[in-house]
Amino acid sequence: MTMPNEAAALLRSNRRRRRIRRWVAIGTIPLTLAALLFVGKLLSMYAFAHQSITAYVVDDFAGSEASARGQEFLNWFEPYKAPFNVGTALGGAEQLPEARTQLEEALDLATGLEVCGVRINLALVVERMGDAARADGDGAGAAELYGEALTITIETPEACRSKQAQLQSPDPQRDMADSLDGTADRLKQKQQEEEQQQQPQPQPGEKEQPSEDKLKGLQDKLEQGTQERDQQQGDDQGGSGTEKPW
């Protein structure tokens, strides 16, 4: 009687263990799927980023944009990267207003040294918008856009000139400090040129209007001449009575 009871108890114990293992396996399915999704998302982010950069280098801006938009789905890691890469690709394709919108979104999402590359590209896109406005004959609009691009550049944090920022640069071949300085100098010159163009220029044959100081000097001379004439007339009336020309 003892052996059958022990066998039955062992059988029940094995069944219980199998049931527990089965429920443990079922319970870990969500965690396993989440882990797989996490790894897959990481790999896809790197793949899309690589494809976007590679396409941009060969001037395939449409392909670069398409790859960058692949980063938008479940964009948990570095959320600024997707709009940054999309905006950069659109800028290369001369879709400047759309590029500006994407880069401004990236700037809102960026933190720390991430803002450095975003600000540099945003300033360049706005500068090119100013160039386009100037080419269309809109000097006032160009000057305004140059001013906006200059503000974006000047407000770039000083930390973006550091070695750590350079290590995180989206373009290691481009020195961030040199880019910021060169962009600022170029924008100041362009803005000044456009502002000078907006100043009214005298038309050919048009006489220059005298300044207030010149007008006052002329008035003083006229008053002095009138006084001298009146004095001479008074003196002449005591003589021949003939009015002399003045």
Side-chain angles (χ1 to χ4, degrees):
M1 296 295 293
T2 303
M3 292 300 295
N5 289 337
E6 290 180 354
L10 181 61
L11 182 60
R12 286 194 298 270
S13 177
N14 289 337
R15 288 175 178 173
R16 190 163 46 247
R17 283 196 293 268
R18 285 196 297 269
R19 196 161 45 241
I20 291 172
R21 284 197 296 268
R22 184 168 60 250
W23 283 111
V24 168
I26 294 173
T28 57
I29 287 176
L31 295 177
T32 303
L33 292 176
L36 291 173
L37 180 62
F38 178 84
V39 174
K41 179 59 179 175
L42 276 179
L43 294 176
S44 67
M45 287 287 288
Y46 284 115
F48 282 127
H50 178 73
Q51 291 171 5
S52 179
I53 294 171
T54 302
Y56 186 87
V57 169
V58 297
D59 294 338
D60 179 13
F61 303 121
S64 178
E65 179 192 352
S67 297
R69 291 196 181 278
Q71 298 176 269
E72 295 176 340
F73 178 67
L74 297 177
N75 191 18
W76 303 323
F77 315 102
E78 297 181 316
Y80 84 98
K81 273 291 181 68
F84 173 74
N85 289 337
V86 171
T88 301
L90 289 171
E94 296 298 325
Q95 299 180 44
L96 301 176
E98 296 84 354
R100 179 176 185 174
T101 299
Q102 291 290 328
L103 289 171
E104 287 176 340
E105 179 183 346
L107 187 59
D108 290 337
L109 296 171
T111 59
L113 296 178
E114 294 172 350
V115 306
C116 302
V118 180
R119 279 190 170 272
I120 289 175
N121 279 10
L122 178 58
L124 292 174
V125 165
V126 177
E127 178 185 4
R128 290 168 72 176
M129 291 176 67
D131 293 342
R134 181 170 61 178
D136 291 339
D138 183 7
E144 182 178 355
L145 288 165
Y146 291 145
E148 292 176 8
L150 182 59
T151 299
I152 294 169
T153 302
I154 292 175
E155 291 180 352
T156 300
E158 190 64 26
C160 291
R161 299 176 178 273
S162 66
K163 185 176 294 185
Q164 290 94 340
Q166 183 62 34
L167 292 174
Q168 296 185 25
S169 172
D171 184 357
Q173 304 300 321
R174 179 175 60 184
D175 185 85
M176 283 196 172
D178 291 344
S179 294
L180 290 169
D181 292 338
T183 300
D185 292 341
R186 188 172 61 251
L187 287 167
K188 289 176 183 177
Q189 181 178 354
K190 288 183 177 181
Q191 187 181 34
Q192 184 178 9
E193 290 174 353
E194 291 306 315
E195 289 175 348
Q196 289 176 349
Q197 290 290 333
Q198 298 308 306
Q199 295 178 357
Q201 301 293 329
Q203 298 297 324
E206 180 181 347
K207 294 183 179 179
E208 183 179 356
Q209 296 296 323
S211 64
E212 292 184 3
D213 292 339
K214 288 183 178 180
L215 289 174
K216 189 176 183 304
L218 290 172
Q219 185 176 2
D220 292 341
K221 289 182 180 180
L222 287 173
E223 291 177 352
Q224 182 180 358
T226 301
Q227 293 174 357
E228 292 176 354
R229 184 190 64 189
D230 292 342
Q231 183 179 359
Q232 289 176 356
Q233 287 178 348
D235 295 339
D236 292 339
Q237 287 174 358
S240 62
T242 305
E243 183 179 349
K244 294 187 178 290
W246 58 275

